[in-house]
Amino acid sequence: MNVAVLSGGVGGARFLRGLLAVVEPGNVFIVGNVADDIELLGLHVSPDLDSILYTLTDRADEARGWGRADESWRALETVAELGGESWFRLGDRDLGLHLVRTELLHAGVPLSEVTARIARAAGLEATLLPATDDAVRTFVETPAGTFPFQTWFVARGHSDEVDAVHYAGAPEARAAPGVLEALAAADVVLLAPSNPYVSIGPILAVEAIRDALERRSVPCVAVSPLIGGRAVKGPADRMLRRLAGGTSPWHVASCYSGLVDALVVDVADAPAELPAGVQAVVTRTLMTDAAAARELAAAALGAAGALA
Ligand code: GDP
Ligand code: CA
């Protein structure tokens, strides 16, 4: 069975780890968000792809919740001493990956190929695909102005309320090589419990990807990133309240109108009323450990199986 998963960074990665425990990794095709990507200190950083890679190859720092385990920060200390840009936390080990990625990109290798090479070298068994090789970038409009995603998220601590989100470059963006093929070959499509606006949204903003999902002939199941109407971490609940009008399962499903057949929601959000054509699947969705993530992935696959 082939599974294609649209995913953001940390929340998506936790879910993917559970998925790889129940599906043969060689049959899992991850379509990752690249609209959080940023150029810093001359380096191309792809935070969501890297969160996925680190988590799935046991390199992630579980306690901190992002970045690499056994990390140190000496390079960044030097950057700060010298008055360079140090607001975006890049650890020493993490920097090594960005060096390799950036050099290949400068040599003209597309991001999808760069990602494949890095993933292979890191021992990732699943296929990790950037949604696009083109530069799609998220911008958030707030009462304090419009900011590039990482300026809002990291530098400003996502404290500004969001009035709108837009994805620069999306109208012209093509799906990266392998993405449409993975969606066409999938027996199930899953949307990870990632932020609908800034993680899944920019993937769906690539027209060819959205079209493929709209015209799907296989079940598509989303997993809600909210539990009891609240984000486990991050600004998803605040964004939903302001942009969708609420934080119920119905509001989460409204972000994926016409694209999903079922939404996996937490027991804390039941009973869930959902838009016509979307089934609710109620289970525990807090991924406290590997077993919980595995059970959540199994529930999402089970829902797809029941729909097929
Ligand atoms: P980012 O790109 O690193 O911000 O990560 P994602 O967009 O992939 O994931 C962020 C979302 O994951 C947040 O909205 C969280 O609420 C959600 N999340 C994190 N852990 C869990 C969990 O254990 N269960 C569920 N259902 N959602 C989670
Ligand atoms: Ca992200």
Side-chain angles (χ1 to χ4, degrees):
M1 181 179 63
N2 289 322
V3 184
V5 191
L6 276 50
S7 175
V10 173
R14 285 189 190 144
F15 176 76
L16 286 162
R17 186 163 51 184
L19 186 69
L20 293 189
V22 292
V23 180
E24 182 56 46
N27 294 334
V28 174
F29 298 81
I30 304 158
V31 180
N33 173 41
V34 290
D36 298 5
D37 285 20
I38 181 168
E39 289 274 338
L40 281 159
L41 304 167
L43 301 175
H44 183 112
V45 182
S46 297
D48 285 5
L49 297 180
D50 296 346
S51 292
I52 294 168
L53 182 77
Y54 293 154
T55 300
L56 298 184
T57 62
D58 292 325
R59 288 172 166 86
D61 190 310
E62 304 289 335
R64 197 189 317 118
W66 58 271
R68 281 198 63 161
D70 191 24
E71 188 59 282
S72 55
W73 309 91
R74 306 193 62 161
L76 202 68
E77 282 163 24
T78 304
V79 170
E81 271 168 30
L82 301 178
E85 268 199 293
S86 60
W87 58 274
F88 196 92
R89 309 263 324 266
L90 297 172
D92 298 332
R93 290 182 186 280
D94 192 32
L95 277 165
L97 185 152
H98 308 318
L99 290 170
V100 171
R101 172 189 290 124
T102 304
E103 180 170 52
L104 289 168
L105 288 171
H106 284 172
V109 182
L111 182 64
S112 52
E113 173 59 23
V114 173
T115 304
R117 287 195 210 175
I118 290 172
R120 201 177 310 125
L124 181 70
E125 292 177 85
T127 301
L128 178 58
L129 305 161
T132 177
D133 281 335
D134 300 323
V136 174
R137 296 292 178 263
T138 297
F139 285 79
V140 294
E141 294 170 24
T142 82
T146 298
F147 301 106
F149 176 78
Q150 299 293 4
T151 302
W152 169 71
F153 195 84
V154 176
R156 299 178 67 90
H158 52 74
S159 57
D160 311 274
E161 295 297 337
V162 178
D163 294 318
V165 176
H166 68 261
Y167 313 113
E172 309 80 45
R174 294 150 301 171
V179 170
L180 299 180
E181 293 83 347
L183 291 172
D187 298 296
V188 179
V189 179
L190 301 177
L191 308 191
S194 294
N195 187 309
Y197 293 105
V198 292
S199 289
I200 305 294
I203 303 175
L204 296 172
V206 178
E207 199 180 314
I209 298 179
R210 174 176 286 271
D211 278 356
L213 283 201
E214 279 174 352
R215 291 201 240 103
R216 71 194 176 280
S217 56
V218 298
C220 180
V221 176
V223 181
S224 174
L226 302 190
I227 299 183
R230 302 184 61 164
V232 177
K233 203 181 164 194
D237 49 0
R238 281 167 50 221
M239 297 183 83
L240 269 147
R241 199 170 299 121
R242 202 162 161 104
L243 297 172
T247 62
S248 73
W250 194 95
H251 294 102
V252 174
S254 72
C255 296
Y256 303 134
S257 184
L259 302 176
V260 299
D261 305 297
L263 179 70
V264 180
V265 302
D266 195 84
V267 288
D269 297 288
E273 207 177 298
L274 292 178
V278 186
Q279 288 192 15
V281 178
V282 179
T283 188
R284 280 184 211 289
T285 68
L286 186 62
M287 296 178 282
T288 43
D289 55 19
R294 191 175 65 225
E295 279 162 31
L296 180 58
L301 288 176
L307 288 161

